[in-house]
Amino acid sequence: MSLSERERERVAETSAALSGAAPDAAALRRPAAVRLLWLIVALGVLAALCAASVAIGVRAVSFGDILAGLTGDTDGIAPAAVAARLPRTVLAALVGAALAVSGTSMQAVTRNPLADPGILGVSGGAALAVVIGIAFFGMSDPYAFIAVAIAGSAAAAVFVYGVGSLGRGGATPLKLALAGAAASAAFMSLVSAILLPRIDIVETFRFWQIGGVGGATWDRIAVVAPVLALGGVVCLVCARGMNSLALGDDLAAGLGEHVARTRLVSSAGAVILCGAATAVAGPIAFVGLVIPHLCRLLVGTDHRFLLPFSAVAGAALLVAADVVGRVVARPEIEVGIVTALIGAPFFIWIVRRQKVREL
């Protein structure tokens, strides 16, 4: 058996661990036409959801109102509503894409099917860092928000991985999930403890603490978009290295991959995406858990295709969650609550079906 055949077999086992099916190397060799078709479908779904996000709200708008809002005409209530919903829709798409790519990268780096920025406490660390900066240092600059959030994400990731690595067996998926859940609960409890005595800021961050995209503006998007683009590029550059990591550290090193460097750079990209997304939208969980698993079933495990497909699917999920939150209740349910309702059962299903195996 040649080395390339061994690689395909090991990656097939990785795919089987995710889907619960028997190893099937043919499932990994998705025809390019199939991948392209799924990408076109995903883009079409995202476009339809974005149109729905702009049209649906307290006041329904027509197609003509949408066109008027797109051209900058805000005369009248309906075009003004469209102009207000556009940045919200764009921000939801950006944050959803960032969290999905971050979760995909974390799962590749840790080989953990339960890896997710929310579950591993990375989002909670970013939220705690932002709240500390505001409450104790009077932080108000948007770039400072993002920098502090990224630093908090990185510190939380190092802390959770360190705790999960203690004891026999190292950083197993179960230990990482337990350490992340405990750390996330502790971080969010500290956030509440800091905010509650400060009436002046608690109202501002009450909905941010839950996770939402309400109040989006083009200025906020202009600040966060370059940072998200940087994190996305870092993850995409490491896509081939992530494929090697899926084979195991020993085989990856035998193939010439610098395992430690690949893991470090990939983690940095995931932390940047998670920190920036949390700074602008609050801690939103489960997007980075649900989307990678679903996308693997459609386009396979090759991260060169999986990462961009996850970005589109993640954007679609968060835009859909925002639309659902506006439809089921008035004035709205924040997207962080909707994604939790979707992701929690999915999390339980993964734990029960996969027995928390490594990727």
Side-chain angles (χ1 to χ4, degrees):
M1 182 182 291
S2 68
L3 183 60
S4 61
E5 289 173 337
R6 289 197 196 95
E7 291 179 49
R8 287 196 294 269
E9 183 177 287
R10 290 291 300 276
V11 180
E13 293 172 355
T14 297
S15 178
L18 285 169
S19 63
D24 181 11
L28 300 168
R29 297 189 291 272
R30 311 279 186 184
V34 173
R35 288 171 169 157
L36 180 60
L37 176 61
W38 278 117
L39 182 59
I40 293 173
V41 170
L43 288 171
V45 171
L46 176 59
L49 288 170
C50 288
S53 177
V54 174
I56 296 174
V58 175
R59 181 185 179 88
V61 298
S62 65
F63 182 72
D65 295 327
I66 295 176
L67 292 179
L70 290 174
T71 58
D73 181 10
T74 58
D75 293 334
I77 297 177
V82 171
R85 292 172 191 167
L86 279 172
R88 176 178 185 144
T89 301
V90 172
L91 182 62
L94 288 175
V95 171
L99 293 176
V101 173
S102 179
T104 304
S105 300
M106 288 183 182
Q107 290 179 13
V109 167
T110 62
R111 300 182 66 203
N112 182 355
L114 303 180
D116 167 79
I119 294 174
L120 295 186
V122 180
S123 296
L128 178 60
V130 169
V131 170
I132 289 175
I134 295 170
F136 298 112
F137 300 99
M139 188 174 63
S140 60
D141 184 76
Y143 292 100
F145 284 160
I146 295 175
V148 169
I150 293 173
S153 295
V158 172
F159 174 76
V160 169
Y161 193 83
V163 172
S165 300
L166 297 176
R168 185 177 302 176
T172 63
L174 180 58
K175 288 165 63 177
L176 282 175
L178 292 174
S184 181
F187 293 151
M188 298 316 295
S189 296
L190 289 172
V191 168
S192 298
I194 294 172
L195 288 178
L196 285 177
R198 294 167 171 80
I199 305 300
D200 55 331
I201 61 175
V202 68
E203 186 64 26
T204 302
F205 285 90
R206 182 161 57 94
F207 294 109
W208 177 88
Q209 186 179 355
I210 299 171
V213 292
T217 63
W218 292 117
D219 290 339
R220 293 174 65 189
I221 293 173
V223 170
V224 76
V227 182
L228 295 179
L230 173 62
V233 169
V234 171
C235 290
L236 288 173
V237 168
C238 297
R240 190 180 296 274
M242 293 180 192
N243 290 340
S244 298
L245 293 180
L247 307 174
D249 290 358
D250 293 338
L251 186 54
L255 293 172
E257 188 69 39
H258 195 300
V259 174
R261 182 179 61 197
T262 300
R263 183 166 280 125
L264 179 62
V265 176
S266 301
S267 299
V271 164
I272 291 172
L273 289 172
C274 174
T278 302
V280 72
I284 300 174
F286 292 113
V287 176
L289 173 70
V290 174
I291 291 300
H293 285 275
L294 295 180
C295 291
R296 285 188 186 94
L297 298 176
L298 299 177
V299 298
T301 59
D302 189 340
H303 286 83
R304 293 172 299 174
F305 303 96
L306 181 61
L307 287 170
F309 191 78
S310 295
V312 176
L317 175 61
L318 208 63
V319 172
D322 188 34
V323 173
V324 169
R326 279 182 268 165
V327 169
V328 299
R330 291 289 186 267
E332 66 181 79
I333 297 176
E334 297 295 331
V335 294
I337 298 175
V338 178
T339 57
L341 292 175
I342 297 172
F346 192 85
F347 176 80
I348 296 171
W349 177 81
I350 294 174
V351 172
R352 289 180 59 85
R353 186 173 177 84
Q354 309 302 333
K355 307 301 183 184
V356 203
R357 292 174 291 187
E358 289 186 353
L359 296 183

